[in-house]
Amino acid sequence: MQIDFANLQYQYELYKDEIDTAMQAVLDKANYIMGDEVRELEDNLQNFTGAKHAITCSSGTDALLLAMMALDIEPGDEIITTSFTFIATAETIAFLKAKPVFVDIDEKTYNIDASKIEEKITPKTKAIIPVSLYGQPADMDTIQSIANKHNLKVIVDGAQSFGSTYKDKTDSNLGDISCTSFFPAKPLGCFGDGGAVFTNSDELAAKIKMLRTHGQNKRYHHKYIGMGGRMDTLQCAVVNVKLRHYKKDLALRQEVAAKYTKALQGKDMILPEVEKNRTSAWAQYSVRVKNRDTVQANFKEKGIPAAVHYPMPLHLQECFQYLGYIKGDFPISELISDEIMSLPMNPYVTDEEISYMSEQF
Ligand SMILES: *Cc1c(COP(=O)(O)O)cnc(C)c1O
C-alpha cells in the first residue's frame, strides 16, 4: 500500500470540472490581478466565517505581516507568542524588528499556555499571537481577557485552522485580526501561495487593503509604507470552488480524525484531544510516540508518509539565538518536539488505510 499524505491530486480530480472552468474564466478575461474573483472570494469568506471583513493576500506569512503593520507594530515592540509553531508566526514579528517573546505550550492542546502569558507582559508588549495549532483554536477567552486587561491586541494565526470554531465562532472571527493561509496543504488550499486577513473593524480593514497594495489610497498615491501582497485572481478562483465544498470536506476531516482516534485507542502513544467548546479543522492528526525514529523508519518501509510538525521549537532555532533562550526554557515545547508525529490527513483517508496504519503501532 502507498498512502498519500495530503491527497491534493485526488481532490483536484474530484472538483476538476468546476476548477478548470473557474480558472479558464480568469484566463479568458486576463484579469490576473484583483479580478472579479478576488472580491467574490472575499464575500464568500465573509459569509463562511462570519467576520465582517475578509481581505485576501499573497500568503499566510504576508497575512501576519499585514496584520502587524495595520496595528502599527514598531521596532522594539514585544509580541507574545508560542514557542511551538511554524516559523512564520515569529519570523514576521522579527522581520518588523519587533521582539518575539515566547511562552510554553499546554501539554494537551499544544497551543500557547494562556496561564503563562501574563508574567511575560512588559510596558513594551503590544500584542499576543495565539496559533490554532493543527487546527484547534487556543484558549481564546483567557487570552482575550488578558489582552483587554493590559490593553493589548490579539492576532490569531489561523493558518492551520480555517473553519475551526471556538464557542461557535469561527477562528477567523476571533481577536482583533485573524489570519489564514491557503498554502496547498492547509485544510483550504489553493494551487500556490495565498492567504487572508479577517477583522470586524472597518478602520483596520481599510488600512489592510491599502497596505496590501503598496499602501496606496489612490492609484500612485501612497498613504502608508505597504507591500505587494495581493492574492492572484487565479488562486482566488480555485479557492472559490473549493470553498463551496469546504463544509463537507471539513466534516470528512473530522470523521477521519475520529476514526484514527478509535483505531489507535489503547496503543502506546498519546492521541490528540480537542477541548470542549472547540472544533478543529484537523490540519494535522498528530500523535506522540516515544520512539519516533523507529516508527518513522518502519512507516517509510511500509509506504506510509509521516511528517514532524515540528522537530525544533522556535526558541532553539538558530535564527533566534540572539534572543538568548536556552534549552530547558520551555520544557513542554521541547518534549513535544521530540515525540510528535503527524499521520496522513486529508478528507479522503480510507478505512483500509487507517487500519493498515494502526497495525504498525
Ligand atoms: C503555514 C503557516 C503559516 C504561513 O502560511 P504561508 O501561506 O505558508 O505563508 C503561518 N503560520 C502557521 C502556523 C502555519 O502553519
Side-chain angles (χ1 to χ4, degrees):
M1 200 181 287
Q2 181 59 54
I3 298 174
D4 193 296
F5 197 88
N7 241 340
L8 295 176
Q9 209 157 7
Y10 181 75
Q11 188 183 47
Y12 171 57
E13 280 159 26
L14 272 185
Y15 305 141
K16 184 174 176 8
D17 289 348
E18 283 175 81
I19 289 174
D20 288 359
T21 304
M23 289 181 78
Q24 191 60 50
V26 176
L27 299 179
D28 289 341
K29 288 183 280 188
N31 57 351
Y32 306 118
I33 300 291
M34 296 305 276
D36 302 335
E37 287 77 1
V38 179
R39 188 60 239 170
E40 256 168 59
L41 176 59
E42 291 174 345
D43 286 342
N44 293 336
L45 289 170
Q46 284 160 205
N47 288 335
F48 192 94
T49 60
K52 188 167 181 198
H53 301 280
I55 301 125
T56 56
C57 66
S58 36
S59 69
T61 305
D62 290 341
L64 290 163
L65 274 179
L66 287 166
M68 283 185 268
M69 288 160 76
L71 295 172
D72 295 317
I73 297 306
E74 288 177 353
D77 288 347
E78 293 179 4
I79 300 190
I80 293 173
T81 193
T82 163
S83 54
F84 188 66
T85 173
F86 180 58
I87 188 73
T89 314
E91 169 194 48
T92 47
I93 298 170
F95 187 80
L96 293 174
K97 302 273 185 269
K99 182 180 174 188
V101 174
F102 295 122
V103 168
D104 208 356
I105 54 171
D106 169 63
E107 193 168 346
K108 191 166 156 205
T109 63
Y110 312 134
N111 279 324
I112 190 167
D113 184 341
S115 71
K116 294 180 179 151
I117 291 176
E118 224 163 357
E119 65 199 56
K120 297 292 174 71
I121 295 173
T122 76
K124 290 183 178 167
T125 309
K126 290 287 158 60
I128 307 169
I129 306 188
V131 178
S132 310
L133 201 76
Y134 305 148
Q136 175 176 199
D139 180 3
M140 293 305 295
D141 277 354
T142 307
I143 292 167
Q144 193 60 58
S145 71
I146 293 169
N148 294 346
K149 184 172 155 198
H150 297 272
N151 198 20
L152 306 175
K153 300 294 183 190
V154 175
I155 301 170
V156 177
D157 182 347
Q160 303 184 1
S161 57
F162 185 79
S164 68
T165 56
Y166 181 92
K167 294 192 170 168
D168 297 327
K169 264 189 174 183
T170 67
D171 94 332
S172 306
N173 200 0
L174 297 169
D176 294 279
I177 301 181
S178 183
C179 299
T180 200
S181 163
F182 303 125
F183 181 82
K186 307 284 182 181
L188 179 64
C190 61
F191 291 169
D193 280 306
V197 187
F198 301 89
T199 181
N200 289 317
S201 154
D202 296 342
E203 203 179 315
L204 286 174
K207 189 167 175 188
I208 291 163
K209 280 181 197 167
M210 286 184 239
L211 291 168
R212 169 179 70 176
T213 308
H214 306 290
Q216 79 178 16
N217 49 2
K218 212 167 85 183
R219 195 163 210 187
Y220 303 130
H221 291 71
H222 305 271
K223 183 175 164 80
Y224 303 110
I225 306 288
M227 61 196 273
R230 293 162 304 224
M231 183 164 164
D232 299 343
T233 311
L234 265 175
Q235 301 298 348
C236 291
V238 172
V239 179
N240 269 327
V241 172
K242 287 209 200 175
L243 189 57
R244 278 182 222 148
H245 300 281
Y246 192 65
K247 273 223 164 79
K248 177 185 65 198
D249 284 349
L250 195 55
L252 286 172
R253 293 183 97 89
Q254 285 160 349
E255 227 171 83
V256 168
K259 286 178 183 171
Y260 264 131
T261 297
K262 193 157 173 245
L264 297 171
Q265 209 67 251
K267 307 253 183 194
D268 188 19
M269 61 174 72
I270 297 173
L271 302 178
E273 283 182 57
V274 177
E275 291 279 3
K276 274 196 207 73
N277 294 324
R278 302 181 208 178
T279 62
S280 176
W282 292 105
Q284 307 298 342
Y285 188 93
S286 304
V287 300
R288 278 170 64 188
V289 290
K290 287 279 176 221
N291 49 344
R292 185 172 67 198
D293 288 350
T294 323
V295 174
Q296 275 194 296
N298 177 50
F299 264 38
K300 202 167 172 200
E301 220 168 84
K302 302 283 170 59
I304 308 166
V308 175
H309 305 99
Y310 298 92
M312 187 188 277
L314 296 194
H315 66 287
L316 301 179
Q317 296 285 348
E318 190 174 349
C319 67
F320 287 134
Q321 256 177 23
Y322 73 97
L323 293 171
Y325 292 104
I326 54 166
K327 205 170 164 74
D329 279 345
F330 302 113
I332 317 263
S333 298
E334 292 167 25
L335 173 73
I336 304 305
S337 304
D338 287 340
E339 298 186 347
I340 204 80
M341 187 178 108
S342 303
L343 303 180
M345 176 42 97
N346 60 73
Y348 322 111
V349 183
T350 66
D351 293 355
E352 292 71 37
E353 288 173 331
I354 288 174
S355 64
Y356 176 68
M357 285 186 272
S358 67
E359 280 161 21
Q360 308 302 323
F361 290 100

